Amino acid sequence: MNSEDIKRAAEIFRNAKRIAVLTGAGISAESGVPTFRGKDGLWRQFRAEDLATPEAFSRDPKLVWEWYNWRRGLVGKVEPNPAHQTLAKWETVFPEFALITQNVDGLHVKAGSKNILELHGNIWKLRCTKEETVTENHASPLGEIPPRCPACGEMLRPHVVWFGEALDPNILHRAFSLCSLCEVMLVIGTSAFVQPAASLPLYASDAGAKIIEINPDPTPLTSYANLFLQGKAGEILPLIDQYLGTI
Ligand code: BJW
């Protein structure tokens, strides 16, 4: 990694008042959570149509729940890495610092981030298919598959956003609003493929924000980025932090 680029990134952050961050599966890769589209990504092993759509859940809720049970077991064993930790720390350093994540793994929360918008939900939350009530549940493995709502007995589903489902309009509105106001947008570990999340950095760029991207591989967003830091988030973010001198 070019140390001039790290210094440039640190300078851009130092001079910014409002910072927004968008993260994707790549930020959790160094914790041991598989991404979706990489070489060892989940969509290489499993078909999204069978596991991450409302139709799949209607067809075979047990199969979908078995997959989520397996993923909860996996995510439950891992810890946040230096990338999550640096972002959690920056929230306490920069006056206006907002984190928008596509991840459902809860690792940002575990690292201590508080001001966070979870665009695609959270794997540790369950939602009643009848009453839509959301409850937190960290049992792993879950006792009964599919789990049932203790209040009404109907089936519970993972509180995540599947393909073809709308994102929570309040969360999405807040995310676009943050992007329209930020001076710098940092985009970490996303293939920038899934909409509407992938539009957020372009929206910020159109509104005048500088875009900094961290990813080992270029993405459709890279040509729009003011600075592309090619490499792993868990290595690059602590380096920027060193230059910022917030330690
Ligand atoms: C590292 C690294 C390291 C590795 N450090 N980096 C417009 C055009 C075309 C299609 C659409 C469109 N609008 C909507 C659609 C359809 C669809 C969509 O986008 N499809 C595309 C695939 C084409 N979108 C939807 O269906 C969305 N809903 C919607 O738009 O609804 C509209 C509507 C309105 C009103 C009524 C009804 C509907 C919903 C999308 C939901 C996505 N859900 C998932 C599953 C969540 C639950 C779960 O996890 O179980 O979300 S799919 C999956 O992809 C997951 C992720 O959040 C999401 C994004 O993936 P991400 O994070 O980018 O991961 P990867 O694996 O793709 O990339 C990892 C990156 O990390 C790579 O670049 C690596 O290089 C990098 N990396 N190591 C830094 N150490």
Side-chain angles (χ1 to χ4, degrees):
M1 168 51 46
N2 178 344
S3 66
E4 281 309 309
D5 281 348
I6 299 286
K7 259 195 243 176
R8 261 184 80 199
E11 281 310 314
I12 292 172
F13 286 124
R14 189 173 283 135
N15 294 322
K17 284 198 190 68
R18 288 181 298 276
I19 299 172
V21 184
L22 173 68
T23 65
I27 197 168
S28 297
E30 289 157 81
S31 292
V33 182
T35 62
F36 291 92
R37 291 170 188 81
K39 181 168 61 68
D40 302 315
L42 291 170
W43 298 152
R44 293 283 170 114
Q45 265 186 79
F46 305 100
R47 277 164 40 93
E49 298 87 332
D50 294 338
L51 298 162
T53 64
E55 294 78 20
F57 189 69
S58 301
R59 213 168 33 237
D60 196 343
K62 190 161 182 286
L63 176 77
V64 171
W65 261 118
E66 273 163 4
W67 190 60
Y68 278 93
N69 216 10
W70 168 72
R71 285 179 60 207
R72 282 162 61 101
L74 203 148
V75 169
K77 287 192 194 75
V78 306
E79 293 300 325
N81 66 55
H84 300 103
Q85 286 154 358
T86 304
L87 294 181
K89 176 178 161 190
W90 285 357
E91 185 180 290
T92 66
V93 170
F94 294 102
E96 288 188 53
F97 186 88
L99 179 54
I100 305 165
T101 189
Q102 297 169 82
N103 298 347
V104 301
D105 57 30
L107 286 179
H108 284 302
V109 174
K110 202 168 179 184
S113 285
K114 292 191 171 59
N115 188 12
I116 171 168
L117 293 178
E118 293 180 320
L119 292 176
H120 294 161
N122 187 306
I123 204 166
W124 301 112
K125 291 181 181 168
L126 314 183
R127 189 163 86 234
C128 176
T129 52
K130 186 177 174 208
E131 297 160 332
E132 304 271 297
T133 40
V134 176
T135 47
E136 206 160 316
N137 177 319
H138 288 260
S140 182
L142 284 159
E144 188 191 0
I145 293 281
R148 297 269 159 193
C149 174
C152 73
E154 284 300 320
M155 216 164 16
L156 294 167
R157 58 162 281 177
H159 183 52
V160 299
V161 182
W162 287 321
F163 284 114
E165 291 188 312
L167 279 66
D168 179 322
N170 289 324
I171 293 179
L172 192 58
H173 177 77
R174 279 159 64 201
F176 273 106
S177 166
L178 286 167
C179 292
S180 72
L181 295 172
C182 69
E183 291 166 301
V184 182
M185 179 145 197
L186 175 61
V187 185
I188 307 169
T190 176
S191 57
F193 198 60
V194 172
Q195 297 291 350
S199 297
L200 290 168
L202 301 179
Y203 192 75
S205 173
D206 282 350
K210 286 202 169 79
I211 308 297
I212 302 178
E213 185 183 31
I214 300 179
N215 200 307
D217 298 317
T219 72
L221 182 68
T222 307
S223 58
Y224 298 88
N226 300 81
L227 192 55
F228 175 53
L229 302 174
Q230 188 158 21
K232 294 182 174 180
E235 293 169 6
I236 292 177
L237 283 170
L239 286 176
I240 300 174
D241 191 51
Q242 268 177 28
Y243 273 102
L244 280 169
T246 67
I247 296 166

